């Protein structure tokens, strides 16, 4: 073996040991100078290269290069060790950095509200029904006993297709579709999307959600309706909530009521949210009009029932104290992340 290679190997063994034992950065630096410095081992050995016979030059050159990177490894390992880390060469973790956040999917507040409503009504014996969002005039208006000149039919309020069909303005047509397809008794809730030609503002959206309820049986009374609505209010907002029914008019119910929950913000004392009234409007309800029963072929002398419809957005905004309905549709993650 060429004597230069021997010298290189001896130097490697020495440097490896000393690097491993170096007590501080200064000691390591001294070693580096001993090997790579201007008067160090490496420059001295490379001067001897001129004495190497041509046929051995390649091997010696290779030994040089290998040794160089080997030395670097020794230094690096020693530096890491001195920096408080094992000789793995891996940077020590910075325990002061904030952890990595994994974002997981979650329900949109409207979807969560629909699911919660459905769960409450299922416990009261309702099953879930659905109907098309593109409806015909018959199911959305006529069969629901809505007079031909009722303002809600106006193209300024309802989206019509050129073929005369429309985007349903309420979930009530699901009542008709369910009764057309089955014999009584009926006990369903139908959550879903509705559409109205409203100008969007803090409380209006062209696209919103309702949940419809319908119960048809023998001897159903207003007391049954009231107890279902009261139970829903308790389950949704807690035992402290009172409900109030006020006379109203809907074409498909007689008598009709609007119902309110006592304000969940102030507990009924009166505040800015309930405009000092102590109550918040929730939706409409009533006893199903005999004309509606006749339209689906049910005998109103035998069958009676109640229906109700609630705005999902309204409930969602109450529950989370959201003051602008548009926030629910912007899909801004800074908003959605809060739920
Ligand atoms: N469909 C009505 C609306 O959109 C709400 C409603 C009122 C539904 C009374 C009902 C009901 O089932 O009985 O304003």
């Amino acid at each position: 073996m060429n004597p230069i290679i021997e010298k290189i190997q001896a130097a490697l063994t020495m440097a490896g040991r000393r690097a491993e034992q170096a007590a501080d950065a200064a000691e390591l630096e001294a070693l580096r100078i001993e090997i790579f410095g201007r008067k160090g081992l490496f420059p001295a050995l490379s001067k001897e290269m001129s004495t190497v016979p041509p046929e051995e030059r390649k091997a010696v050159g290779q030994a040089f290069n290998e040794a160089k990177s080997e030395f670097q490894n020794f230094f690096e390992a020693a530096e890491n060790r001195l920096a408080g880390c094992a000789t793995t060469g891996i940077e020590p973790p910075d325990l002061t950095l904030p952890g990595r956040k994994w974002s997981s999917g979650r329900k949109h507040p409207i979807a969560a509200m629909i699911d919660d409503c459905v769960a409450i009504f299922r416990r009261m014996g309702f099953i879930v029904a659905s109907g098309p969002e593109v409806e015909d005039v018959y199911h959305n208006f006529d069969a629901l006993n809505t007079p031909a000149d009722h303002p809600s039919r106006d193209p300024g309020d309802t989206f019509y297709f050129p073929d005369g069909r429309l985007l349903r303005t309420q979930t009530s047509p699901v009542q008709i579709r369910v009764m057309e397809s089955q014999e009584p008794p009926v006990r369903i809730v139908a959550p879903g999307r509705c559409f109205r030609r409203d100008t969007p503002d803090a409380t209006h959206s062209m696209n919103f959600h309702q949940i419809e309820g319908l119960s048809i049986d023998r001897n159903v009374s207003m007391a049954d309706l009231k107890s279902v609505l009261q139970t829903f209010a308790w389950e949704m907002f807690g035992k402290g909530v009172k409900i109030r029914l006020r006379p109203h008019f809907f074409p498909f119910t007689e008598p009709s009521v609007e119902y309110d929950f006592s304000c969940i913000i102030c507990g009924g004392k009166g505040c800015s949210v309930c405009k000092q009234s102590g109550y918040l409007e929730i939706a409409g309800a009533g006893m199903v009009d005999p004309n509606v029963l006749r339209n689906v072929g049910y005998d109103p002398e035998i069958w009676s029932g109640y229906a109700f419809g609630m705005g999902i957005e309204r409930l969602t905004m109450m529950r989370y104290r959201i003051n602008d309905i548009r926030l629910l549709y912007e899909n801004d993650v800074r908003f959605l992340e809060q739920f």
Side-chain angles (χ1 to χ4, degrees):
M1 199 193 290
N2 186 289
I4 297 185
I5 298 185
E6 270 169 37
K7 281 186 200 164
I8 289 173
Q9 281 172 350
L12 267 178
T13 316
M14 174 278 288
R17 206 183 50 242
R18 280 179 50 192
E20 223 171 77
Q21 291 167 355
D24 53 28
E27 212 175 294
L28 207 56
E29 187 52 23
L31 178 61
R32 190 195 299 274
I33 292 170
E34 232 175 87
I35 294 163
F36 293 117
R38 208 152 47 84
K39 293 181 183 155
L41 183 66
F42 250 67
L45 288 176
S46 58
K47 268 186 210 131
E48 288 181 36
M49 272 296 264
S50 53
T51 69
V52 176
E55 66 277 11
E56 287 178 33
R57 277 206 184 146
K58 196 175 162 207
V60 175
Q62 211 171 347
F64 248 107
N65 287 338
E66 279 169 16
K68 210 169 181 178
S69 67
E70 197 71 358
F71 279 124
Q72 297 295 3
N73 288 345
F74 291 154
F75 285 124
E76 229 168 83
E79 272 162 12
N80 283 334
R81 176 175 57 79
L82 291 174
C85 176
T87 54
T88 54
I90 298 170
E91 290 227 350
D94 181 350
L95 299 178
T96 64
L97 285 175
R100 223 174 258 154
K101 200 174 149 204
W102 296 98
S103 50
S104 56
R106 64 195 83 185
K107 283 184 199 168
H108 188 279
I110 290 188
M113 177 51 81
I114 290 176
D115 288 355
D116 291 351
C117 290
V118 164
I120 292 170
F121 286 117
R122 284 171 72 107
R123 286 200 289 277
M124 290 192 271
F126 290 81
I127 61 168
V128 176
S130 65
E133 291 170 6
V134 177
E135 261 297 2
D136 48 45
V137 173
Y138 177 76
H139 288 90
N140 197 82
F141 293 124
D142 299 340
L144 286 163
N145 200 37
T146 312
D149 58 355
H150 197 275
S152 65
R153 294 182 183 242
D154 194 282
D157 287 331
T158 298
F159 292 107
Y160 286 94
F161 290 94
D163 65 2
R165 289 185 302 164
L166 48 78
L167 288 174
R168 70 177 178 198
T169 60
Q170 49 191 356
T171 43
S172 304
V174 182
Q175 292 185 31
I176 304 297
R177 293 201 174 265
V178 169
M179 290 190 286
E180 279 175 343
S181 68
Q182 70 166 84
E183 292 299 321
V186 173
R187 202 169 168 83
I188 57 106
V189 284
R193 239 176 248 279
C194 305
F195 308 84
R196 279 180 206 177
R197 209 183 259 272
D198 276 328
T199 305
D201 62 21
T203 54
H204 293 86
S205 167
M206 288 184 278
N207 167 212
F208 56 98
H209 299 74
Q210 290 186 336
I211 183 163
E212 192 80 13
L214 175 70
S215 180
I216 306 284
D217 210 329
R218 291 183 163 89
N219 305 317
V220 180
S221 76
M222 198 89 181
D224 299 313
L225 170 64
K226 194 169 177 185
S227 88
V228 162
L229 296 178
Q230 177 68 78
T231 306
F232 174 79
W234 281 340
E235 296 271 308
M236 179 57 71
F237 292 116
K239 276 278 170 172
V241 181
K242 291 196 290 267
I243 65 163
R244 178 174 82 172
L245 304 184
R246 284 174 291 113
H248 198 73
F249 174 80
F250 294 105
F252 31 89
T253 42
E254 182 57 38
S256 301
V257 293
E258 271 199 324
Y259 60 96
D260 306 334
F261 287 0
S262 59
C263 180
I264 58 162
I265 313 286
C266 64
K269 286 188 208 78
C271 67
S272 62
V273 174
C274 61
K275 302 197 184 79
Q276 310 306 327
S277 72
Y279 282 90
L280 294 166
E281 272 178 38
I282 298 298
M287 301 308 292
V288 178
D289 193 294
N291 285 340
V292 173
L293 296 176
R294 257 180 238 116
N295 286 341
V296 296
Y298 286 8
D299 183 350
E301 298 299 324
I302 304 173
W303 304 103
S304 57
Y306 58 81
F308 56 86
M310 288 184 267
I312 296 288
E313 277 76 1
R314 179 110 222 205
L315 291 169
T316 308
M317 289 167 77
M318 270 172 70
R319 180 201 247 180
Y320 299 117
R321 324 253 157 116
I322 297 166
N323 58 13
D324 193 320
I325 195 171
R326 290 166 293 194
L327 288 165
L328 293 167
Y329 303 107
E330 282 165 356
N331 282 336
D332 185 329
V333 285
R334 290 168 301 180
F335 172 76
L336 296 176
E337 265 172 0
Q338 299 174 43
F339 301 96

